[in-house]
Amino acid sequence: MKLDIDYLIENLTLEEKAGLCSGADFWHTKSVERLGIPAVMVSDGPHGLRKQVDSEFHPDEHRSVKAVCYPAGSALACSFDRSLMQKVGEYLGEEARAENIHTLLGPAINIKRSPLCGRNFEYLSEDPYLAGELSASYVKGVQSKNVGVSVKHYAANNQEYKRMSVDAIVDERTLREIYLKAFEITIKKSNPWTLMCAYNKLNGTYCSENKKLLTDIPRNEWGYEGIIMTDWGAMNDRVKAIKAGLELEMPSSSGYNDRKIVEAVKNGELDIEILNNTVRKLLEWIELGLNELPEIKNYDKELHHSFSRRVAGECAILLKNNNEILPLKKSGNIAFIGPFAKKPRYQGGGSSHVDAFKVTSAVEAVGDLVANNADLSIIYKAGIEDDGVTRNEALLKDAVEAAKASEAAVLFVGLPDSFEAESYDRDHMDMPDCQNELIEAVAAVQPNTVVVLHKGSPVTMPWKDQVVAILDMYLGGQAVGGAAVDILFGDVNPSGKLAESMPYRLEDTPCYLNFPGDGKKVYYSEGVFVGYRYYDSKRMGVMYPFGHGLSYTKFSIGDIKVSDSLFDGKGTVNVSVKVKNIGNTVGAEVVQLYISPFDELLRIRPLKELKGFEKVYLMPGEERVTSFELDYYSFAYYNVDVNDWHVEPGEYKILVGNSSRNITCEASLELKTSKVPFLYTETTTIKDVFDYGKGHIIMPLIQKYREQNFEDTTPDDEIVKEAMRELSVHNVVSFIKISNEELDQIIENLKKSE
Ligand code: BGC
């Protein structure tokens, strides 16, 4: 169905126009029946549908239709798989269509600045390239079903503490390279229908009224064409917001802010053309969802459940597997221990909470295996109370005895619901004490102890060296128990990779001293050094590095070839490597490409940055060539002097491997790009002038310095230049005698040469 937008703008009253700029209730926009403008419904997102059964605000987010809960963003990202993300998007899009949802409120792609952020379980990664690429694929998937997305929370919403008011102080380069990058990639690659602006302030201005954030950068620089809505209640000043480029306020403000728009137009504070333009964009967005595609009345929930089991299997990370204890044999006596074996933790709390239509636990899934394998016997013991936080001596003793009497013990542990959810951050990285004690007690009597983790963010693992294997399911969605059993017994070969570093301790994390700030401001003083950009640059030990994940087979990655040895920044350079399955099991490897500037201190750059990844499925013995296309931006950093991306000329390393700490081959490439243009300022030093090849202009200064400061006038130019290197041109007068006119002339010549 098409809307005659020009006609509508001409015929809508001022009040109706203002009304279209905010919700009718919690989930719907307003209709204008006399002109045939329908109301549309939006719903959370991101990893399943949370369509509420009525339109009011419910702090109890469980009152929604039964739906499928897929692995949360933290798990999905570990797939490192664009096509899987796209498929998940397609499944979600189909479900949204069946429920008449116009726009799904996801993906959530904020960068994991600290492991403590309460919503990290929803977010994808600490790396903006990975987050952006995966998010773009998800968006393509959802939108292919003619359902919109809302990419959130834009921007610098990296903590829950004071999330509605905190002022995130982020320098321009860090903003561009880290906190905006995933949004930029998503917008450029997938054209999302909507963005959701964050609650917080960014550098002093609420995101919802930040013109630079809402208009200058996304629309003028990146070419964004969709609309921007507020996060729920993220409105401060409605008139400022509309001027800044914020189209839709959600949810309803019961007419309060609509009236402000009307008054502002009437008293001349708001140009009617700005409002008309806003309404035009809103109508264009509404129209996008009025599709003529065949109606989807229902979807096959069971099929979607099986798909979510497959997805969870693709995302799980095998962190450790000593003595190749996994996969377990489908015979013998095995103890399954911990309440999560029966009642898995598979999602987080808050607005993303899905009312899952069914949940498969590991105990239930292994029941199917036992039914088909007469020699396999599983015994279940809780070991602690069902709440996951309370000790129980009798249960502990019982579990330890069962573990002792078995051939292996598998512990299903992690963070209980209350430990991580929207609206508050964690204040430590530890699992409940009773769970750590349970693991240690079991490992003390059973050498074949395996830990299966359920949590949305890194935890400390004091027992790491006492157990033989660790399988991290993150929050794997409603079929997580099935997926865990598939991997434990070898029906699925794990291929997930960590989308975030796992530090040993909270104190090791880059923003430890500046998270979550003083309640008013939070300074992102670690700059671009987030996650592995920090740990790797500091050559610091981590428990498990970014990109890490084991498999039941082995791979070799090598024979790197770069199409050119010089690159002038135009077009692309091709890098290829050979990846081979050198083990006996079919499996998938994620080939990761990092760029490292040769002199990392030159521009204060991270030691390495991810710029390419591919997941490759290989039969035993099979070998394939994987290639990557690198362009100018693969080597660029954001230069605040020129307000643009810039590639410093020089030598760069191309590193390829299967984690940020396991680089198996590398090549170097000479970048023949131009330097940042020379710009004379009062901080320009003698050395800067020579570095830019303009030394001839200031040779008179060198000569004077030599004559006036060295008794012996023989030292060569190099020695004199070194002695003067840190002097600013404009204040050499403090160190040499020179006439005002002569210095002015030199400065004039420098300016002319810019
Ligand atoms: C959350 C959003 C969510 C919205 C609607 C907000 O509190 O921050 O992520 O989409 O509520 O439920």
Side-chain angles (χ1 to χ4, degrees), residues 193-480:
W193 290 9
T194 88
L195 286 184
M196 185 190 290
C197 84
Y199 287 121
N200 49 283
K201 290 181 186 167
L202 174 61
N203 294 327
T205 309
Y206 278 105
C207 290
S208 61
E209 57 196 45
N210 194 323
K211 178 165 171 292
K212 177 175 163 189
L213 188 69
L214 303 188
T215 297
D216 300 350
I217 296 179
R219 304 186 209 246
N220 300 347
E221 284 186 31
W222 304 338
Y224 179 55
E225 290 173 347
I227 63 150
I228 304 182
M229 65 174 79
T230 56
D231 196 346
W232 266 231
M235 180 53 74
N236 179 49
D237 179 322
R238 187 59 182 105
V239 177
K240 270 194 195 158
I242 207 165
K243 286 184 180 170
L246 189 287
E247 280 89 13
L248 182 63
E249 174 190 7
M250 284 303 287
S252 153
S253 60
S254 304
Y256 182 77
N257 283 326
D258 301 353
R259 265 195 301 280
K260 300 220 162 155
I261 296 178
V262 171
E263 280 161 22
V265 171
K266 284 188 177 157
N267 67 25
E269 193 194 336
L270 178 66
D271 186 341
I272 183 72
E273 279 317 310
I274 295 182
L275 179 59
N276 284 345
N277 203 30
T278 304
V279 171
R280 175 177 298 281
K281 293 201 82 73
L282 284 164
L283 292 172
E284 282 167 358
W285 164 64
I286 290 170
E287 187 181 45
L288 283 172
L290 307 180
N291 55 69
E292 273 134 30
L293 294 178
E295 201 182 343
I296 300 182
K297 283 225 170 70
N298 222 327
Y299 61 96
D300 183 344
K301 284 205 173 68
E302 285 298 336
L303 184 82
H304 287 218
H305 177 79
S306 317
F307 174 64
S308 83
R309 178 165 174 166
R310 175 160 93 71
V311 176
E314 297 273 334
C315 298
I317 310 116
L318 184 58
L319 292 174
K320 169 174 182 175
N321 192 19
N322 283 9
N323 317 328
E324 299 190 350
I325 177 83
L326 295 181
L328 299 168
K329 289 190 198 63
K330 291 177 183 167
S331 61
N333 301 325
I334 300 174
F336 272 23
I337 297 172
F340 287 170
K342 255 199 168 155
K343 200 168 175 287
R345 170 132 189 277
Y346 61 94
Q347 65 173 328
S351 61
S352 67
H353 196 281
V354 176
D355 194 356
F357 84 92
K358 82 180 212 187
V359 178
T360 303
S361 72
V363 166
E364 184 191 331
V366 86
D368 299 339
L369 267 192
V370 171
N372 295 321
N373 294 277
D375 297 340
L376 177 65
S377 145
I378 304 285
I379 182 166
Y380 167 73
K381 297 288 174 189
I384 52 173
E385 295 284 350
D386 281 351
D387 63 6
V389 289
T390 313
R391 264 190 202 89
N392 180 317
E393 284 308 321
L395 292 178
L396 177 66
K397 197 160 162 268
D398 196 24
V400 169
E401 271 162 21
K404 207 170 174 180
S406 303
E407 278 136 66
V410 186
L411 287 137
F412 294 80
V413 290
L415 296 178
D417 278 328
S418 62
F419 274 52
E420 43 180 4
E422 178 174 339
S423 80
Y424 56 90
D425 299 318
R426 289 188 295 167
D427 49 22
H428 60 77
M429 272 173 49
D430 302 331
M431 291 184 357
D433 290 346
C434 68
Q435 297 206 27
N436 286 333
E437 283 161 20
L438 174 65
I439 300 168
E440 280 168 4
V442 167
V445 300
Q446 174 49 266
N448 296 329
T449 293
V450 175
V451 167
V452 180
L453 289 170
H454 302 66
K455 82 294 172 284
S457 37
V459 291
T460 55
M461 301 183 205
W463 35 260
K464 173 180 161 267
D465 297 332
Q466 296 157 43
V467 302
V468 273
I470 307 172
L471 174 65
D472 193 345
M473 302 304 294
Y474 266 83
L475 297 180
Q478 66 181 48
V480 67

Side-chain angles (χ1 to χ4, degrees), residues 27 44 50 105 119 152-153 163 196 199 231-232 351 422:
W27 303 113
D44 288 306
R50 185 175 73 96
L105 304 176
R119 279 185 104 168
K152 64 192 189 183
H153 309 89
R163 69 167 166 161
M196 185 190 290
Y199 287 121
D231 196 346
W232 266 231
S351 61
E422 178 174 339

Side-chain angles (χ1 to χ4, degrees), residues 612-629:
F613 63 91
E614 286 302 329
K615 193 164 195 172
V616 192
Y617 290 81
L618 294 168
M619 302 298 286
E622 191 184 348
E623 181 176 73
R624 267 208 231 152
V625 174
T626 302
S627 11
F628 303 91
E629 296 292 326

